[in-house]
Structure formats: C-alpha cells, structure tokens
Amino acid sequence: MAAQGTDFFVNDHARRAVRRGVMLLVLVCCLPFFSERSVEANVEEFLAKGHGLSISREPEVFLLNALENVQRERLDQAQILLEDLIRDNPDFRLAHLVYADVLAARAGTLRGLGAGVVPDEELAGLEDEVRRRWLYYQQRPNGALLPSSLVALGESEPYALVVDLELSRMYVLANTRGGLRIVDDYYVSGGKEGPEKHREGDRRTPLGVYFIQEHIPGNRLPSLYGWGAFTLDYPNPLDRRLGKTGHGIWLHGNPTGTFSRPPQDSDGCVTMHNKDLEALAPLLGHGNVPVIIARQVDWADPGDLAMTREEKFGMLEAWRLDWESLDSDAYLKHYSREFRSGSQNYSAWARHKRRVNAGKEEIRVQLANVNLFAYPEAPGIMVATFTQDYWSDNYQSTSRKRQFWKHEADGQWRIIYEGTY
C-alpha cells in the first residue's frame, strides 16, 4: 500500500478535518493515509494467496477499517464497525477507547485519543498499538519475499516462527514441498524496554535464534500467562559467550481476560492473544521449532536466499568431508582461533581432535535435517543445526548438533562454537 507519510499533516483535507475537530484521534496516532484500497480489500488479497486467518485478525481488520473511516470523516460507519467489534470482543481495550473517542468526535467534544479517560502511560501504549497495527498493513511483505534470516529449514522441521519487534508481528512459515511460505501472522507484544536483552531483569526481549523447549499449560501458571507458555532456550551459547544473562524468556498468552497488550508491555517475553496461541499450539507441540527474534525483519527474494543456502551447504559439506578424511590440519582449518565450547578453547579442541583421529582408521559422517539461520543484528554470524550420524571403526553415535559460524576478517567462515542440544 502506498503511504503519504507526513503529507497527511499538511494537506488541505487534514486541515479542514482538524478545524472541525473530528480528526484528532488519527492525528494523535500519526497514521499516514491508506491508499484507495481498503484494509479489508488488502486482507482479502493476503488470504487469497494462501495465508491463514488468525483468530484475532478479524477484530484487527474491524478496528483498522473503523480508523480508516474516521480518517475519511465517515464517523457513522466507524461507529457501527466499533459497536460490532466491542460486542464480539468485550476484552479489546483499545477498541473500547477508539469507540469512546468516535462518540466524542460525533458530539464535537473530542480532545485527543483517550483524553481525560486513560492514564498517560497506558495511553502511550495504546497509541503505539494503533500505530504498529496500522503500519503492519502498509508494510507487510508480499507473498514472494521471505525473511532473510531463514536460510534453510530441514526436512523434519515443518514450521518456523519469525518475530518482528518493531512491527509487533510474528510470522509463521511452513516448510512445504514448494518451499518456505508464510501461512499466518499474529500481533504480539515484547519487553517493556524493547530490544535487546543483555542482563537479568532488564525487561528487554532478546534478539537471536532460539528453539522452543517445552509447553507449560496455563493451569500450571499464574493468570498472567493466560492459555499457557512455550519456553525458549535463552540464553543460547552465543548469548552466554557475549556475557548475556537472564532466563525465563517464553512465548506465552496474554493475561486472562485481556485481548491484547501494548507493543512493549512484558518483562521480556513475547506474548499474544490466547486463542491465537491455542490455535498455534499443535504446530509447536513437537518442540525444537526455531524462533527467530529480530528488531526488524529483513526480507529477501527466494532466489537470493537459494544462492546463500547453496553456499552455506557447501561450507558444511567441506567441513564434513575434511572430518572424514582424517586430515586433522584440513579439518581444524574450519575452526576459528576464537572457538570455545564448554571449557575447551581452540587449542584444547585441536589437541583433542588430533588425539581422537590418531586412533581411527575410518570415519563416516552424515548430516540430515539441516537448518541454517543468519543471526539477527549480526550479519557475520550463521547458525547451523543438524542431526549428525557418526560412525568410526570403534565408535558410533547419533546426535543433534548446533554450530555458530563467523565470517572472519580474511573472508573465511569458521566455527566459533559447536555442541549438542
């Protein structure tokens, strides 16, 4: 959708509306004009391309249609939409507030969004929620683009979640026969202090690549967590390497009886509508679903992603072949001098691997279910996870492995961390 940005504040249409006192609601929220196509028309196009429909999307569309009608001075139509909306969703706090303001505008008494009704701190959060919901429908990706962080999803990984904290959106991507595609998205809230988490209690949401660990039902949690929670593996090995602390970062529901929270309202977790989380739960139940949390999602053409994917698969294949060769020097060239895993640094790792290889006559290594992720906010870091089948003349094992690769100053990618998970 085309947006007119700050032109909204200066065109004659807006000036006339402000003089009549009926457009302050939209001015306060700093919302650019929609294009000629309505919110509803754009959503229908979105769904026609094969996307799912979240439980909370229809109420969101009603709200944005109402705001569009306010913008176009059709307050009677906005009122009808909002009355239907709050009747069906009595816990939608933001919708009640906008409805009250529309009534005030029709009576000629509007003094600004929630003026005199809502405390300033709460009002700021509600204004931010309006703005981010509105901007999402203007900036959402077309069906051809994919998150650039999601380079490859293994054959046994049916879904991945990608969170855009600036737009307060979480995208669900399915691993289909035809490749990755977005199948749904949801409004979500993050930490009160925004990104990026560094220490225990800073009320910030981490940025990175994480994996769902377990589901905790709501009946085992305080009402703050609503329907329930899915725990994430923050801090991951890279977080710990960078000295980040904290724990208990989850994807969980909103407090019982709450439709939505302001964009920055949690203690660091990602939160969402309870019915949306319940509907999403069957996709997450097997665990290890990747969750990429970014400040802002970068979108890429699938062709460009395919080139990156082939390059990184080649990188992994070279590592695998050099391991099988029993040439310790060739194998260790894939490891950075900055390598650390548990208590082992590069020197300790190299000594260990040379000693192990000296006792082998043959090694065979196979990789399956390979996932590749470009790390958010760190363009020189790549995460690889895979199932590793290892066979030698005196030892066999199957394990789930995770590696962090770094693009170093000489242009080579090398492993800075390796371990099972």
Side-chain angles (χ1 to χ4, degrees):
M1 264 183 286
Q4 296 182 8
T6 54
D7 290 348
F8 173 60
F9 294 97
V10 297
N11 63 32
D12 289 339
H13 178 83
R15 289 197 188 96
R16 289 197 304 273
V18 171
R19 282 198 294 270
R20 285 194 296 272
V22 299
M23 293 296 287
L24 289 178
L25 167 62
V26 181
L27 281 170
V28 168
C29 298
C30 301
L31 303 179
F33 255 122
F34 271 104
S35 65
E36 290 302 310
R37 307 191 66 218
S38 68
V39 175
E40 184 175 5
N42 278 278
V43 170
E44 287 174 354
E45 178 184 354
F46 183 66
L47 297 176
K49 292 180 178 178
H51 300 294
L53 181 64
S54 71
I55 303 299
S56 63
R57 188 185 307 285
E58 184 177 359
E60 180 176 62
V61 171
F62 266 65
L63 175 67
L64 296 179
N65 272 331
L67 288 172
E68 185 180 3
N69 277 300
V70 170
Q71 236 187 14
R72 299 182 188 279
E73 302 182 52
R74 299 193 291 255
L75 296 183
D76 55 340
Q77 295 181 43
Q79 181 178 338
I80 292 170
L81 285 167
L82 290 164
E83 286 173 349
D84 288 342
L85 175 58
I86 61 177
R87 182 193 65 237
D88 295 338
N89 301 275
D91 57 353
F92 198 170
R93 173 79 166 135
L94 178 59
H96 281 278
L97 181 64
V98 175
Y99 177 60
D101 282 343
V102 166
L103 294 180
R106 295 197 72 182
T109 60
L110 179 64
R111 291 180 290 127
L113 178 65
V117 178
V118 178
D120 288 347
E121 183 177 354
E122 182 182 356
L123 181 60
L126 292 168
E127 289 175 358
D128 197 21
E129 182 178 342
V130 171
R131 181 183 66 82
R132 297 197 198 199
R133 287 182 184 273
W134 184 282
L135 288 178
Y136 163 70
Y137 278 95
Q138 297 214 347
Q139 298 178 13
R140 71 181 187 278
N142 65 49
L145 299 180
L146 294 169
S148 62
S149 287
L150 194 50
V151 178
L153 207 56
E155 62 273 13
S156 299
E157 305 292 353
Y159 299 99
L161 307 181
V162 179
V163 178
D164 185 319
L165 290 174
E166 286 201 358
L167 285 181
S168 295
R169 279 290 145 169
M170 183 175 73
Y171 303 91
V172 181
L173 289 99
N175 195 10
T176 71
R177 290 184 179 180
L180 291 172
R181 71 183 186 96
I182 300 172
V183 294
D184 220 334
D185 67 83
Y186 303 88
Y187 171 84
V188 296
S189 300
K192 291 182 175 69
E193 302 300 327
E196 164 184 15
K197 188 170 187 63
H198 289 281
R199 58 181 175 81
E200 178 84 26
D202 62 8
R203 302 196 300 179
R204 294 182 179 273
T205 301
L207 303 176
V209 178
Y210 303 99
F211 294 87
I212 288 176
Q213 302 297 288
E214 65 172 327
H215 169 233
I216 305 176
N219 59 16
R220 290 171 45 195
L221 295 167
S223 62
L224 172 69
Y225 298 92
W227 179 84
F230 290 91
T231 65
L232 302 182
D233 63 338
Y234 174 88
N236 66 28
L238 183 61
D239 293 323
R240 291 192 291 271
R241 182 188 183 98
L242 296 174
K244 296 181 181 181
T245 61
H247 68 284
I249 298 298
W250 298 350
L251 170 64
H252 66 79
N254 290 326
T256 303
T258 301
F259 183 91
S260 63
R261 299 172 71 172
Q264 296 181 197
D265 195 58
S266 78
D267 287 334
C269 295
V270 177
T271 76
M272 61 189 297
H273 189 281
N274 286 305
K275 289 184 178 179
D276 283 341
L277 185 58
E278 183 178 6
L280 187 61
L283 312 186
L284 311 179
H286 75 289
N288 274 332
V289 174
V291 181
I292 300 172
I293 306 177
R295 190 185 309 271
Q296 183 175 31
V297 172
D298 292 324
W299 298 92
D301 181 87
D304 294 336
L305 276 178
M307 292 176 61
T308 302
R309 182 162 54 249
E310 289 307 309
E311 176 192 348
K312 298 306 182 289
F313 278 155
M315 180 178 75
L316 280 173
E317 179 65 2
W319 166 79
R320 186 188 72 82
L321 291 174
D322 284 338
W323 191 2
E324 286 190 337
S325 75
L326 290 174
D327 182 339
S328 295
D329 289 337
Y331 171 74
L332 290 169
K333 285 180 181 178
H334 296 282
Y335 290 84
S336 170
R337 297 289 173 166
E338 300 175 14
F339 177 85
R340 291 204 311 271
S341 181
S343 61
Q344 288 185 315
N345 59 16
Y346 174 81
S347 296
W349 179 261
R351 287 194 301 271
H352 168 69
K353 285 299 181 179
R354 290 183 190 279
R355 185 172 61 252
V356 169
N357 282 353
K360 306 290 185 184
E361 294 184 2
E362 184 181 1
I363 288 176
R364 292 200 297 267
V365 180
Q366 295 297 322
L367 309 183
N369 196 36
V370 178
N371 298 310
L372 294 170
F373 310 101
Y375 212 79
E377 303 285 311
I381 299 292
M382 183 74 62
V383 185
T385 69
F386 47 85
T387 300
Q388 175 183 289
D389 285 321
Y390 175 92
W391 180 95
S392 71
D393 43 62
N394 57 10
Y395 182 74
Q396 298 85 41
S397 70
T398 298
S399 59
R400 189 71 179 152
K401 185 167 281 188
R402 172 164 48 187
Q403 295 175 332
F404 286 83
W405 292 70
K406 180 180 179 181
H407 193 227
E408 300 199 310
D410 64 356
Q412 298 299 308
W413 285 88
R414 295 187 178 90
I415 300 165
I416 61 172
Y417 169 84
E418 180 175 311
T420 58
Y421 77 106

